[in-house]
Amino acid sequence: MRSSMTTLNRLDSAANLDEYASAVTDFIWKCTENCVSRKTIRVFPNRKPWMNYEVQSLLKARAATFRSGDTSRYMESRRDLWKASKGAKRQYQAKLEARANQRDAGRQWQGLNEITGRREKAGNINNCGTSLPDELKVLYARFEQKRSVLLPPDEPDLVAWKFIVTEEDVRRAFLKINPRKVTSPNGVPEWVLQACASELAGVFADIFNCSLLQSKIPSCFKKATIIPVPKKSKVACLNDYRPVALTSIAMKCFKRLVIAHINHSLPVNLDALQFTYRSNRSTADATSLALHSSLEHLENKDI
């Protein structure tokens, strides 16, 4: 790991933060395109969620023995397929149970949907005409205003800065990335950042520290792809679409590091009713407390 002074010296060499970050992300994208092979996988709508590679191989083996006409081999392949299917189902059941025991409400809801077989009906967006992207662009950008150009802030004192992102921090953040997420707008897959966390931690630590030093976010980290998701099965107007933004995964890791530093710097004697930006607290806790207070007041009117 480089020392803090070495990192700060490298920050001064990044004269243009946008070019520095864009060159790094473009180089990673180019290496990924040239070195990583692609494979097309066919997915059928009736594919069982517990299906794995072993079960697929035994299905092909059973079909081959059936065509061969060998009865003994066919019965043996059926028996192997039955055992593998039972094992795959048990593994899938354990996965759903572990997901249900997590404290993440989103993953619990996803597990319930998988158990019950519930599927949300997607809205029909094919009958909205070719002008739909332009109309959605105007709708989502209606609050944007041209802001006056701000002068760059004065360079802070490096001794009093106290918060420097290290390579180890970036490496741990990259290792926690979910590789199954959708690719970022800059074209760098999430699994690449996770697989090459040790190799990319140094350069991204320099970019993050340079961003903190200049109080500026690289333009390539600000890009977002807006995906309009229908709220209803039948779309009647533009407000029936929910905009889902796909942002840079590197920027998400950077924000997690900054938020962790801010939370660590907060005093311990905060208000007990403070739920935002605190660990193990959420809006669900605030809603439950407000509902409990209201019901308690209705039950005890004299108090």
Side-chain angles (χ1 to χ4, degrees), residues 208-223:
F208 295 162
N209 287 320
C210 188
S211 178
L212 292 172
L213 186 64
Q214 300 181 10
S215 301
K216 180 181 178 182
I217 302 298
S219 300
C220 60
F221 288 173
K222 297 180 182 179
K223 294 181 180 179

Side-chain angles (χ1 to χ4, degrees), residues 32-300:
T32 305
E33 290 293 320
N34 294 339
C35 303
V36 178
S37 59
R38 298 181 179 272
K39 181 179 179 181
T40 303
I41 301 176
R42 298 179 61 185
V43 179
F44 299 93
N46 60 345
R47 178 188 176 93
K48 301 299 182 182
W50 46 265
M51 186 75 65
N52 54 23
Y53 179 77
E54 181 183 2
V55 177
Q56 289 181 349
S57 301
L58 292 176
L59 279 173
K60 295 179 181 179
R62 187 192 64 174
T65 54
F66 177 78
R67 289 191 297 267
S68 64
D70 191 345
T71 306
S72 60
R73 288 182 56 194
Y74 176 70
M75 295 301 295
E76 184 180 356
S77 62
R78 285 189 57 184
R79 185 166 53 255
D80 295 339
L81 178 61
W82 179 81
K83 293 180 180 179
S85 301
K86 295 289 288 186
K89 291 178 181 179
R90 284 194 297 267
Q91 292 179 1
Y92 182 69
Q93 179 182 359
K95 177 183 176 181
L96 294 182
E97 292 177 352
R99 181 177 297 176
N101 294 330
Q102 293 181 356
R103 301 188 62 179
D104 189 353
R107 295 187 65 85
Q108 290 179 357
W109 182 253
Q110 182 182 1
L112 291 176
N113 288 338
E114 293 181 359
I115 293 174
T116 58
R118 178 179 179 271
R119 294 183 179 180
E120 297 182 358
K121 296 181 180 179
N124 186 7
I125 62 176
N126 297 325
N127 299 328
C128 298
T130 57
S131 61
L132 176 62
D134 296 333
E135 294 176 0
L136 289 174
K137 180 180 179 181
V138 174
L139 177 66
Y140 296 151
R142 66 187 184 276
F143 298 111
E144 291 290 336
Q145 298 179 357
K146 294 183 178 180
R147 301 179 180 179
S148 58
V149 179
L150 300 178
L151 296 177
D154 297 334
E155 184 175 343
D157 186 7
L158 298 181
V159 178
W161 187 251
K162 294 184 180 180
F163 177 47
I164 297 177
V165 179
T166 63
E167 293 185 20
E168 183 62 22
D169 294 336
V170 179
R171 189 185 69 85
R172 287 198 300 263
F174 283 177
L175 290 177
K176 295 180 181 179
I177 294 176
N178 185 359
R180 297 183 180 273
K181 290 291 185 178
V182 182
T183 304
S184 304
N186 53 18
V188 179
E190 278 65 13
W191 61 267
V192 173
L193 297 179
Q194 185 189 51
C196 304
S198 301
E199 292 78 8
L200 299 177
V203 64
F204 275 99
D206 289 341
I207 294 175
F208 295 162
N209 287 320
C210 188
S211 178
L212 292 172
L213 186 64
Q214 300 181 10
S215 301
K216 180 181 178 182
I217 302 298
S219 300
C220 60
F221 288 173
K222 297 180 182 179
K223 294 181 180 179
T225 302
I226 306 298
I227 306 296
V229 179
K231 301 178 184 177
K232 305 177 181 179
S233 58
K234 294 183 180 180
V235 176
C237 60
L238 295 178
N239 284 328
D240 291 339
Y241 292 98
R242 178 184 295 107
V244 178
L246 305 179
T247 57
S248 172
I249 189 63
M251 186 60 198
K252 291 181 180 178
C253 296
F254 186 24
K255 289 191 293 185
R256 293 191 187 102
L257 295 175
V258 175
I259 291 175
H261 173 73
I262 294 176
N263 292 336
H264 182 72
S265 303
L266 290 177
V268 295
N269 54 348
L270 291 177
D271 189 351
L273 299 180
Q274 173 70 28
F275 293 94
T276 309
Y277 304 116
R278 298 190 66 180
S279 59
N280 300 327
R281 296 197 180 188
S282 63
T283 55
D285 298 327
T287 304
S288 300
L289 180 61
L291 181 60
H292 174 72
S293 301
S294 302
L295 295 178
E296 187 179 12
H297 175 72
L298 292 176
E299 293 177 355
N300 304 317

